[in-house]
Amino acid sequence: MDKEYWIIEDGESVGPFSLEELKSHNIAPTTKIWFRELDEWTKVEDTALADVLFPKATPPTFSDESFPKADFNPQPSVSELDEMKLRQAYEKGLEEGKQLDKDTDIHECPPTYLVWSILATVLCCVPLGIVSIIHASNVSKYFNNGEYMKAKKASDKALYWTLANIIVWMVTYPIFFTLALF
């Protein structure tokens, strides 16, 4: 029996696939995959399948004599590139660390506030409610794609627009009620 593989596609689990079906499915290295040996969903590039699905191309041979020798190297060296990548990763981690609390579990989906957004839309102000529903519906999509920070930002925006909707209703309702009495 062939091994069976499942992938995340458009935020949903799709499968099972055989290895041959997986090769013809045009998946990216960052696609989340699961099979029996894995404990959780993992990017394809982080598994042994990466070498099978994305074989490394071998560069053509080249002769050193065909190119003239140059005294300068306009491209950064490998160590400089590694240093730049490390610096960028450090800065990204630092930025994300500022936005997360110490007790934040990035393996748990942030609250969507979808129910509150719908209630606020129905009971209060429709235009602001639509914005909050859009942000609330994006939370799960981002989280399932492994983008926790985007999911957290969408959750925060859903809460913000839901509260804005309720505040607008609390301010305008007494005004309309008072005007209706006269």
Side-chain angles (χ1 to χ4, degrees):
M1 183 171 147
D2 286 340
K3 217 183 230 188
E4 294 180 328
Y5 304 93
W6 286 262
I7 60 172
I8 297 286
E9 190 173 73
D10 297 326
E12 295 183 13
S13 172
V14 181
F17 296 108
S18 68
L19 184 59
E20 294 305 316
E21 291 172 327
L22 207 56
K23 286 180 181 178
S24 65
H25 208 288
N26 292 334
I27 61 173
T30 56
T31 301
K32 298 269 185 158
I33 191 167
W34 181 86
F35 48 93
R36 295 202 192 280
E37 287 80 17
L38 295 177
D39 293 331
E40 59 184 25
W41 290 94
T42 308
K43 291 180 183 177
V44 174
E45 64 189 0
D46 296 336
T47 66
L49 283 176
D51 296 333
V52 176
L53 296 173
F54 311 110
K56 305 271 191 272
T58 55
T61 59
F62 119 163
S63 168
D64 217 17
E65 300 161 358
S66 62
F67 292 102
K69 300 280 184 194
D71 292 340
F72 64 94
N73 186 5
Q75 295 183 352
S77 68
V78 174
S79 62
E80 290 174 345
L81 286 175
D82 288 342
E83 187 176 323
M84 287 170 40
K85 286 180 184 177
L86 284 172
R87 183 79 171 147
Q88 289 171 348
Y90 171 76
E91 289 172 357
K92 180 181 178 190
L94 190 62
E95 184 63 31
E96 288 179 0
K98 289 178 184 175
Q99 296 173 0
L100 296 176
D101 295 334
K102 290 180 182 177
D103 300 329
T104 301
D105 182 12
I106 63 169
H107 300 294
E108 186 177 314
C109 185
T112 62
Y113 302 109
L114 186 59
V115 172
W116 294 109
S117 299
I118 292 171
L119 286 174
T121 302
V122 171
L123 299 175
C124 304
C125 178
V126 174
L128 296 178
I130 291 172
V131 175
S132 64
I133 289 173
I134 291 170
H135 287 297
S137 64
N138 285 336
V139 173
S140 295
K141 179 181 78 170
Y142 288 141
F143 182 75
N144 289 334
N145 286 336
E147 300 173 310
Y148 181 81
M149 290 307 297
K150 283 186 178 180
K152 178 75 172 119
K153 286 180 183 176
S155 174
D156 292 345
K157 286 181 181 179
L159 177 62
Y160 171 82
W161 285 105
T162 301
L163 292 175
N165 190 352
I166 293 170
I167 291 170
V168 165
W169 177 78
M170 288 173 56
V171 169
T172 58
Y173 182 75
I175 295 171
F176 287 136
F177 184 74
T178 305
L179 291 175
L181 291 176
F182 294 110

